[in-house]
Structure formats: C-alpha cells, structure tokens
C-alpha cells in the first residue's frame, strides 16, 4: 500500500526478520527491517513509520530500553513487542515502557497481521482525531480572535468610559462575562440642555446578545430622532417594543431604564421596563438611596406594554452635589464564597458605605472593585455601571474644573492647555509659580501622549483643577498609562509639590498638589 508509511521491524535474529518481513509484504505492507538496535534508533529518528515491531531480547540494548528511547523521540507511533517472555512481570514492564501491544513467540501469520491491522487502525483513528483536534483548535483560535475583534468593535459602539460636557459628566464601566455581551447603554444629546440616557440588558450572553445589542442601540436612537416630544418616554418605550416584537425578538427580552435629563431645569424623568432602579447618591450627607422600582414588563415579552403609562414616569429634581447610578443586574445578582446572594438592598448598602470616598470619575470602577474585594463573583453575567453627575461650566460641586484631552489630537491638546492657562490667570497666584505649574502639567500630558503613540493606542485623558486658598490640586485620569517614578522626579523644582496615584483596573488616577502660599 503505497499511501501507507512503512513498518519498522527490529530483531537481532535473521530468521525472525526474514519471516516477519515476508508475512508483512505478503499482505501489502512496506517494511524496513534491521537487526541492530542502534541502527534502528537512527532510522526511527530520520524516517516516518506507521508502526514498530520490536524484539525484546537483543544485545547492546534490549527492546524495553529501545522502546523507551523511541517514545521519547516520537510519541504517536505504536510499538508492538515480540517476545517469548509472557509472564506478568515482563508484560507489565513492557507496558510501562510505552509498548502498545505484545505478540508472543512463536507467532502465526494470522496473529501477526491481525495485531498489526488493529494497531494501525487505532493509530490511524488517533491521528485523525489529533488532526481534527488541531483543526478545531486552530478554528477556535481564529474564532476567538474574531470574537476579540468583535468585542473591540462593540466597545466602540458604546459611549467612551468618560463623557464630558459643560453641564454633564458621565463615567462608566462595562465588563461582559464573555468576549461579547448583551448589556447596553447610551447618551443621546438633544437640544435645550437635554439628554436621553438609558441602560438595558438583553437576555442571554455572547455573540447573539451582542448582535441584538447593536441592533437595539440603533433602533432606540432612530426612535428618539424621529420623535419630537422627548418628554413622552412611555411612547418611546412602546415604539421600541413594537419594533422588537415584530421584527427581531424571538424568545428574547430587553430590560430598559430610559431617562430624560434636563440640566437647565435640573430634572431627571425616567421610565422603566423591568430594569433595576437608579441609585441616588448625595455627597453632602454621604448617603445613597434606592429608587422605587415601578414601570412595565421587559420589552419583547408582549406586543402591548399597556395603554395609560404616564403615571409610571418618575421625575425628580436633583441637586448639584448628587449623582445617579444606573446599572445592570450582573452587579447585584451575584454570590460570594459562602453562597450568599447580594441583591439590590445589600448592593445599595455597600454603596452607602463607600460614599465618603467615592470619586465622580472612578465611581463605577470603585464600586465594582469593592464588590469583588468582598469576594462576590462578577464573572457569571455582564456588568455595566453608569454614573451621571452634573457640572456648571465644567465645574463640579467640589469646585473641580474638568478638561478632556484626546491623545493624538494636537489641536484639542493645545486648545485645552490655553483654556487651563486662562483659568489659572483668574486666580491670585504668583506668575512664575503659575507658569511652572502649567509647564509641569504640559510635560505630564506630553508624556502620556507619547506613551499612547508608542503603544498605538488612543483614548481620552481627563484632568481636573481645584484651586483653594493655599493649594492647587491637579487630578489626572488615564487608561493604560503608568507614569514612572523617574519621570516624576524630573518634573520640576517647585517646593511643596507632591504626587500620589491609585489604580482601578486599567484606569490610573494621579493626584498632584502644589502649594501657592
């Protein structure tokens, strides 16, 4: 059989070699036969064989040792030992050396050929299985890379980790349980200082949920854009539900919490379709409050969500020193190492304990990290956390003014530096000190920009300035860049200058304090 690899036969007795070679060739097998163990080992190294027939009792090295040496070189070729030693001790020794089977001397042609056929069939099956496994592994790796790419694309479809406008600051974290997820949130700016902000959760995980998420995001934006009455959130929900039921959802559903944020009148009007309620965080009294959960069933369950839905709207007037947390159920439908379920009430209590130390920018990451540090498993479901807070001309209630820099955007970079320079000019500060501070800030931002360029990454850098009577505090938030200690030491000669850092996942936070007595 020309398409089959030859069989290697090793026996120091010429008569045995001649007999085995004759019987194998008679049954159409190609054969390499050799009487010297060392020569056999060299042939085995150089050539490919389908099977080895190996005599046990040989000079120099016996069949047991030769078997071990061969298997150390190639592990997927079956080796059959031919021997008159048929006691349990030698049988066990042979199998321990890696032999596939035994043929007892004296043998018959039927015994020889049947054992050879069986070994080759099993070996062929193993080779086919290994080839299939390798192919599947390659295909899986390819699909995994494609899923990773799809995951990156999905992240681009979601808002950036930070959304900064003169009147609004939205920070978020999104963590799918697989490479792709079904959680969704978006910020849609409207006219007259209004925004539509929503968060949702599509049933299921992975690719199917991610594809539906992409479609749902487009549908919601389309419905918002075609509707002139943005205050009628119940109509928006009903219209979205009609499209999902008629065209997209089969045995799927979507929980949705959608809000109309009016920063001019300081109101938030919300409507829920089976989604967890917001948590209201007040930084003046350091407390968090879980909203009453009312609304309609998740979208996609029925073609009619109801007729008179106006009473199901919730509208609140917010204060400057508050933020509102939107989230999906993956953050609280989790259990700890003792199988304790977290739940919404305990989740709110966890946040309540954190409020004095929460930062508006890193709040979603701080909360997620806190839950994980309390040994709750957040890997079983997609997790999305979105924090909404309010600004007055880029300034928050603590007096911090925020600036956003997009790496690789030189115009925006210089524009924001000029804006910052003008802000510092308004402060009663020594001119030389002010210029030195601006120089240090520029050095840090150039350093971050260069690091991003080296790694071919692009992201927003958020910077906040807070000026008090005797201090200027600068805070910087940036993904994936760590400012080295050596660089910090070279920053400048200003006295009473300090820098500290915190890390939340891949988001690094730096706090720099300058005295200006």
């Amino acid at each position: 059989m020309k398409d089959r690899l030859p069989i290697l036969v090793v026996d120091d007795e010429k008569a045995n070699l001649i007999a085995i070679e004759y019987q194998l060739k008679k049954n159409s097998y190609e054969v390499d036969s050799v009487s010297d163990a060392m020569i056999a080992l060299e042939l085995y190294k150089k050539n490919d064989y389908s099977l080895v027939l190996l005599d046990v009792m040989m000079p120099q090295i016996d069949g047991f040792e030769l078997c071990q040496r061969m298997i150390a070189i190639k592990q997927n070729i079956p080796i059959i030992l031919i021997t008159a030693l048929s006691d349990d001790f030698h049988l066990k020794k042979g199998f321990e050396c890696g032999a596939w089977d035994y043929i007892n001397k004296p043998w018959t042609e039927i015994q020889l050929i049947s054992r050879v056929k069986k070994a080759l069939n099993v070996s062929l099956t193993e080779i086919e299985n290994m080839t299939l496994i390798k192919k599947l592994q390659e295909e899986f790796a390819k699909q995994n890379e494609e899923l990773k790419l799809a995951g990156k694309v999905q992240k681009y479809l979601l808002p950036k980790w930070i959304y900064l406008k003169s009147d609004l600051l939205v920070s978020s974290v999104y963590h799918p349980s697989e490479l792709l997820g079904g959680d969704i949130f978006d910020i849609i700016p409207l006219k007259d200082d209004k925004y539509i902000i929503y968060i949702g959760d599509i049933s299921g995980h992975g690719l199917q949920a991610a594809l539906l998420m992409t479609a749902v995001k487009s549908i919601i934006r389309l419905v918002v854009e075609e509707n002139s009455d943005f205050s009628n959130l119940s109509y928006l929900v009903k219209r979205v539900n009609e499209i999902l039921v008629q065209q997209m959802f089969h045995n799927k559903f979507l929980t949705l919490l959608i809000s109309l944020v009016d920063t001019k009148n300081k109101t938030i009007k919300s409507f829920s379709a089976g989604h967890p309620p917001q948590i209201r965080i007040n930084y003046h009294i350091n407390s968090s409050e879980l909203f009453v959960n009312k609304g309609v069933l998740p979208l996609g369950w029925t073609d009619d969500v109801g007729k008179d839905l106006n009473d199901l709207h919730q509208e609140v007037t917010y204060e400057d020193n508050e933020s509102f947390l939107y989230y999906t159920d993956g953050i609280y439908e989790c259990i700890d190492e003792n199988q304790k379920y977290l739940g919404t009430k305990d989740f709110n209590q966890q946040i309540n304990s954190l409020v004095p130390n929460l930062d508006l920018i890193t709040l979603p990451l701080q909360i997620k990290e806190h839950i994980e540090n309390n040994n709750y498993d957040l890997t079983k479901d997609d997790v999305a956390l979105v924090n909404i807070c309010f600004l007055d001309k880029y300034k928050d209630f603590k007096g911090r003014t925020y600036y956003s820099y997009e790496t690789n955007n030189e115009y925006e970079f210089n524009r924001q530096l000029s804006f910052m320079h003008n802000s510092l000019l308004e402060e009663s500060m020594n001119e030389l000190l002010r210029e030195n501070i601006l120089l240090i800030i520029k050095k840090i931002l150039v350093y971050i920009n260069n690091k991003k360029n080296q790694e071919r990454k692009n992201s927003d850098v958020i910077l906040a300035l807070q000026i008090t009577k005797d201090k200027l505090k600068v805070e910087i938030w940036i993904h994936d860049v760590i400012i080295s200690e050596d660089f910090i030491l070279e920053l400048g000669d200003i006295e009473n200058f300090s820098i500290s850092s915190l890390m939340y996942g891949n988001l690094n936070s730096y706090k720099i304090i300058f005295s200006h007595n």
Side-chain angles (χ1 to χ4, degrees):
M1 298 181 181
K2 294 182 179 179
D3 59 340
R4 180 182 290 163
L5 293 173
I7 296 171
L8 178 62
V9 181
V10 187
D11 197 315
D12 62 315
E13 294 186 15
K14 292 282 186 180
N16 288 339
L17 275 183
I18 293 170
I20 294 172
E21 186 174 348
Y22 170 77
Q23 290 168 355
L24 290 174
K25 287 184 175 180
K26 180 182 175 184
N27 287 274
S28 303
Y29 292 103
E30 293 184 29
V31 182
D32 283 347
S33 58
V34 61
S35 59
D36 187 287
M38 299 310 296
I39 295 174
L41 193 60
E42 290 302 314
L43 287 173
Y44 186 82
K45 288 179 183 178
K46 294 177 182 178
N47 303 320
D48 291 325
Y49 293 101
S50 60
L51 178 70
V52 178
L53 293 171
L54 185 58
D55 183 33
V56 171
M57 302 301 293
M58 293 189 295
Q60 295 178 298
I61 58 174
D62 61 26
F64 297 126
E65 185 176 344
L66 183 56
C67 179
Q68 286 181 308
R69 292 193 188 186
M70 286 181 166
I71 288 174
I73 298 168
K74 300 174 187 176
Q75 296 182 348
N76 60 338
I77 298 175
I79 297 174
I80 297 177
L81 297 178
I82 302 176
T83 180
L85 302 172
S86 58
D87 58 277
D88 290 345
F89 173 79
H90 289 96
L91 287 174
K92 182 181 178 184
K93 185 176 180 180
F95 287 124
E96 287 176 347
C97 290
W100 191 86
D101 199 359
Y102 264 93
I103 296 177
N104 290 321
K105 292 181 180 179
W107 71 88
T108 66
E109 182 178 333
I110 293 175
Q111 289 174 329
L112 176 69
I113 299 305
S114 64
R115 295 292 181 89
V116 167
K117 280 184 177 180
K118 184 178 179 181
L120 290 175
N121 287 338
V122 173
S123 176
L124 180 62
T125 301
E126 288 181 354
I127 291 171
E128 289 174 348
N129 289 340
M130 291 302 297
T131 302
L132 178 60
I133 289 171
K134 185 177 179 181
K135 187 176 180 181
L136 289 172
Q137 288 174 335
E138 291 173 351
E139 187 65 28
F140 176 78
K142 181 181 177 182
Q143 290 180 358
N144 205 41
E145 287 301 313
E146 290 175 351
L147 286 173
K148 286 181 180 178
L149 178 60
K152 290 179 181 179
V153 172
Q154 185 184 41
K155 286 184 179 179
Y156 280 113
L157 294 173
L158 294 169
K160 292 180 180 180
W161 67 277
I162 195 76
Y163 180 91
L164 177 63
K165 296 295 180 182
S166 65
D167 55 350
L168 190 70
L169 175 64
V170 181
S171 57
S172 62
V173 60
Y174 177 63
H175 183 75
S177 60
E178 301 177 14
L179 292 173
L180 295 162
D183 286 358
I184 178 175
F185 63 93
D186 202 3
I187 306 157
I188 306 174
L190 310 172
K191 59 184 179 180
D192 300 326
D193 303 316
K194 293 183 176 71
Y195 301 84
I196 289 288
I197 299 177
Y198 68 84
I199 188 167
D201 184 359
I202 295 170
S203 57
H205 310 288
L207 182 59
Q208 186 181 29
L211 290 173
L212 287 172
M213 175 276 248
T214 305
V216 167
K217 180 176 181 290
S218 300
I219 289 169
I220 293 175
R221 186 170 283 268
L222 181 66
V223 171
V224 169
E225 289 174 352
E226 71 179 13
N227 182 38
S228 57
D229 185 8
F230 302 116
S231 64
N232 192 353
L233 296 176
S234 59
Y235 170 78
L236 296 178
V237 171
K238 289 179 72 172
R239 182 74 184 108
V240 170
N241 185 67
E242 288 173 4
I243 297 172
L244 296 181
V245 170
Q246 293 171 10
Q247 301 180 23
M248 292 184 58
F249 276 16
H250 303 284
N251 300 318
K252 289 285 182 181
F253 63 87
L254 164 72
T255 68
L256 181 70
L257 175 60
I258 186 167
S259 298
L260 174 65
V261 178
D262 184 342
T263 60
K264 186 175 182 179
N265 295 305
K266 295 188 176 182
T267 61
I268 298 179
K269 187 177 184 179
S270 303
F271 190 92
S272 175
H275 198 83
Q278 304 106 306
I279 292 178
R280 184 176 192 167
I281 304 172
N282 187 298
Y283 301 94
H284 177 65
I285 59 176
N286 288 330
S287 70
S288 61
E289 173 192 1
L290 190 66
F291 271 37
V292 176
N293 195 0
K294 67 176 185 177
V296 297
L297 294 173
L299 306 186
W301 276 9
T302 174
D303 57 0
D304 186 8
V305 294
K307 295 181 180 180
D308 188 9
L309 304 177
N310 289 330
D311 291 341
L312 298 178
H313 287 100
Q314 289 183 295
E315 185 167 1
V316 297
T317 301
Y318 65 80
E319 298 177 14
D320 292 335
N321 58 5
E322 291 183 319
S323 70
F324 292 79
L325 181 68
Y326 292 60
Y327 52 94
T328 55
D329 59 13
I331 192 65
Y332 68 84
E333 287 187 349
C334 55
I335 57 175
D336 66 10
E337 56 188 0
N338 297 316
Q339 302 301 302
K340 180 187 174 185
Y341 177 77
L342 181 58
T344 52
K345 288 185 179 179
D346 285 346
F347 174 55
N348 179 51
Q349 288 176 4
Q350 298 264 4
I351 295 174
N352 200 63
S353 68
L354 288 173
V355 174
N357 300 310
L358 285 176
D359 176 83
L360 296 179
I361 295 285
T362 59
L363 183 146
L365 282 164
Q366 283 180 274
I367 292 173
K368 178 177 178 288
E369 187 176 277
H370 178 76
I371 300 298
E372 289 173 330
N373 288 342
N374 279 276
N375 299 316
Y376 284 95
D377 184 4
L378 297 181
T379 64
K380 305 302 183 185
D381 197 0
D382 303 333
V383 171
L385 292 163
V386 181
N387 186 54
I388 301 168
C389 57
F390 311 97
L391 306 177
D392 181 13
K393 296 179 182 178
Y394 293 101
K395 184 173 289 190
D396 68 14
F397 65 91
K398 291 183 177 180
R400 295 188 297 187
T401 302
Y402 292 89
Y403 306 84
S404 174
Y405 299 86
E406 185 178 336
T407 55
N408 302 324
N409 188 332
E410 187 174 353
Y411 169 78
E412 182 66 17
F413 179 83
N414 291 323
R415 189 181 74 84
Q416 291 285 8
L417 276 179
S418 176
F419 182 27
M420 190 183 304
H421 182 269
N422 292 335
S423 297
L424 289 175
L425 281 175
E426 298 174 2
E427 303 297 327
S428 55
M429 185 183 297
N430 178 279
E431 183 177 350
L432 179 60
L433 175 65
R434 179 172 53 243
E435 294 304 318
N436 282 337
I437 289 172
L438 281 168
L439 180 61
I440 287 175
I441 293 172
K442 185 173 182 179
K443 282 182 178 180
I444 292 173
L445 293 174
V446 168
Y447 175 89
I448 292 170
N449 200 52
N450 289 339
K451 291 268 283 188
K452 285 289 182 182
N453 286 337
Q454 290 171 10
E455 298 168 10
R456 298 183 178 181
K457 293 179 180 178
N458 186 32
S459 69
D460 287 337
V461 179
I462 301 297
L463 187 144
L465 293 184
Q466 183 179 10
I467 302 171
T468 61
K469 197 170 185 180
D470 59 350
K471 289 181 182 178
L472 166 65
K473 183 164 67 175
V474 181
E475 293 178 81
I476 299 172
W477 297 270
I478 177 66
H479 273 288
D480 300 322
V481 170
I482 297 175
I483 299 179
S484 71
E485 292 183 10
D486 291 341
F487 174 74
I488 292 170
L489 293 173
E490 298 171 2
L491 283 176
D493 301 323
I494 299 175
E495 295 181 3
N496 300 319
F497 160 76
S498 65
I499 184 167
S500 59
S501 66
L502 288 172
M503 182 179 291
Y504 301 99
N506 63 343
L507 179 65
N508 300 302
S509 171
Y510 296 92
K511 188 177 293 184
I512 309 166
I513 297 177
F514 305 94
S515 293
H516 59 91
N517 295 328

